[in-house]
Amino acid sequence: MLLVNLGTPDAPTPRALRRYLGEFLSDPRVVEIPRVVWKPLLHGVILNLRPAQSAKRYAAIWGKDGSPLLVHSLRQRTLLLGYLGQRLKRAGLPADLCPVELGMRYGSPSVGAALDSLAAAQCEKILVLPLYPQYAASTTASAFDAVAAHLAHVRRVPALRFVDTFHADPGYIKALARNVNDDWMKHGRPDRLVLSFHGLPRRTLDAGDPYHCFCQVTARLLARELGLEAKQWILSFQSRFGRARWLTPYTADVLRQLGAEKVGRIDVFCPGFVADCLETLEEIAVEGQALYRAAGGAAFRVIPCLNEHPAWIAALADIAFRNLAGWLEAPPDIDARQQTQARARALGAKA
């Protein structure tokens, strides 16, 4: 199995951010502007100004173990490997039958390095599972591009299966609800729940990208699982960049409005992120909270992402097993195979 997530800079420094943003913003799936227009702007302006700004934001969330996204993603990989091993043993199969590697679309560990590790483990079949619940061309399809680009230079290409979305997966929805309810058990229920998803330019929806629709489905299913009425929750989109119109409503606008209405306490939860990262720990917890309180709001909480919640790891294992169906078979016994080959050679020699 290959788990894929977005990625993170190696350090919260302008130099590391310049390298990371250069790779990220050079992806034509991410920035759908003609290269002849975008390249001079990227290398002449953005990569000279934005890295220092972004480095300060990353420094505010950087932990002693490094980037939160990478830390949580590696833990998810380790826990998933354990879950798979236990279920394989119960099925009478070797616990190490299905190695799991993590590859980041941008930065390290790279998708290519993860695929090389699986090849070194003699994996002839690989399930690629991007950790983006809602399909988008800029995330899920880009992960596919990275896999295909690396395998384009490999002589023995493995059999591949690719999970494109799990936005409505029952286990994923229940894990989201368990995570939210666990937080509410400790801190009580808010007056309003904001479900904030990463934003995309509006033109992606017009071009046929299902991301907006998938976010709506996830939000409705989660609200139903939590037993919320329509007036108790609202969906929004964050991380707008540039002057173009993006998916609405914008999270920043929603927070300002709720603050001005003095609705009381609001909780913000980001179902589209399976691990806490810059967008949740800084953009929402710091910038979003400041917007809400400046507009007149009071109590504000950010509910942690799924991270290593047991319900999420179990759901991830279920998704994996469904998509590995037919592949999880015990490898042939090497000694028995060698004996069979020897007998066949002996029979051939006698003939």
Side-chain angles (χ1 to χ4, degrees):
M1 277 191 64
L2 171 62
L3 300 177
V4 182
N5 212 325
L6 186 73
T8 180
D10 294 326
T13 64
R15 183 177 180 180
L17 263 298
R18 187 174 293 109
R19 184 168 56 249
Y20 172 74
L21 290 174
E23 183 181 6
F24 175 52
L25 296 175
S26 294
D27 188 343
R29 292 276 197 184
V30 174
V31 181
E32 299 182 42
I33 298 175
R35 299 295 95 181
V36 67
V37 175
W38 178 241
K39 273 195 168 185
L41 181 61
L42 174 62
H43 294 280
V45 179
I46 295 174
L47 292 182
N48 288 323
L49 298 177
R50 195 170 178 188
Q53 301 169 355
S54 296
K56 292 179 182 179
R57 299 177 65 201
Y58 272 99
I61 66 159
W62 210 263
K64 60 181 179 63
D65 296 324
S67 165
L69 176 62
L70 180 58
V71 170
H72 288 302
S73 297
L74 288 171
R75 289 173 181 169
Q76 289 173 351
R77 177 251 174 195
T78 299
L79 290 169
L80 175 61
L81 188 60
Y83 267 64
L84 291 175
Q86 291 174 7
R87 293 180 64 166
L88 286 167
K89 286 178 66 177
R90 289 200 297 269
L93 298 171
D96 60 352
L97 180 60
C98 184
V100 180
E101 293 293 340
L102 171 70
M104 292 298 193
R105 179 61 184 88
Y106 317 103
S108 301
S110 69
V111 168
L115 287 169
D116 287 343
S117 294
L118 292 173
Q122 300 183 332
C123 294
E124 297 178 350
K125 303 181 176 87
I126 297 177
L127 171 65
V128 182
L129 177 51
L131 295 172
Y132 312 119
Q134 297 79 25
Y135 173 94
S138 58
T139 53
T140 315
S142 181
F144 176 85
D145 292 346
V147 171
H150 184 76
L151 294 179
H153 305 288
V154 171
R155 173 63 61 181
R156 173 64 169 93
V157 175
L160 290 175
R161 289 179 182 173
F162 194 90
V163 178
D164 66 325
T165 184
F166 52 92
H167 66 283
D169 177 78
Y172 161 66
I173 298 298
K174 288 183 181 299
L176 292 173
R178 283 277 303 277
N179 189 62
V180 172
N181 276 320
D182 285 352
D183 192 82
W184 286 351
M185 286 290 290
K186 298 177 183 177
H187 304 284
R189 285 186 168 235
D191 297 286
R192 195 76 57 86
L193 175 65
V194 178
L195 298 176
S196 181
F197 292 82
H198 196 282
L200 290 178
R202 166 72 197 204
R203 66 176 178 273
T204 61
L205 174 60
D206 299 332
D209 199 308
Y211 177 77
H212 178 265
C213 303
F214 287 174
C215 291
Q216 298 280 348
V217 171
T218 297
R220 289 197 300 269
L221 291 174
L222 174 56
R224 185 173 68 185
E225 189 72 22
L226 291 170
L228 299 178
E229 299 177 1
K231 64 181 180 181
Q232 294 177 298
W233 66 279
I234 185 171
L235 178 150
S236 63
F237 296 92
Q238 64 187 81
S239 308
R240 182 187 180 193
F241 176 72
R243 298 180 179 180
R245 185 186 177 197
W246 282 44
L247 299 177
T248 57
Y250 302 134
T251 297
D253 291 347
V254 167
L255 295 178
R256 289 191 189 98
Q257 179 182 343
L258 293 175
E261 293 175 357
K262 294 180 171 52
V263 298
R265 180 185 130 191
I266 69 166
D267 283 6
V268 184
F269 183 52
C270 301
F273 298 94
V274 300
D276 275 308
C277 54
L278 184 73
E279 286 82 356
T280 63
L281 299 174
E282 200 277 339
E283 183 181 352
I284 296 298
V286 179
E287 295 180 7
Q289 181 170 191
L291 288 174
Y292 178 68
R293 290 186 168 168
F300 181 101
R301 274 193 54 75
V302 178
I303 299 174
C305 290
L306 290 169
N307 296 328
E308 296 84 51
H309 195 291
W312 161 235
I313 304 301
L316 194 58
D318 287 340
I319 294 170
F321 264 91
R322 285 199 302 274
N323 285 278
L324 288 167
W327 277 5
L328 295 176
E329 299 176 354
D333 182 83
I334 301 300
D335 292 337
R337 185 171 62 186
Q338 291 175 342
Q339 291 173 9
T340 300
Q341 293 171 345
R343 283 196 295 271
R345 287 195 298 269
L347 289 172
K350 290 179 179 179

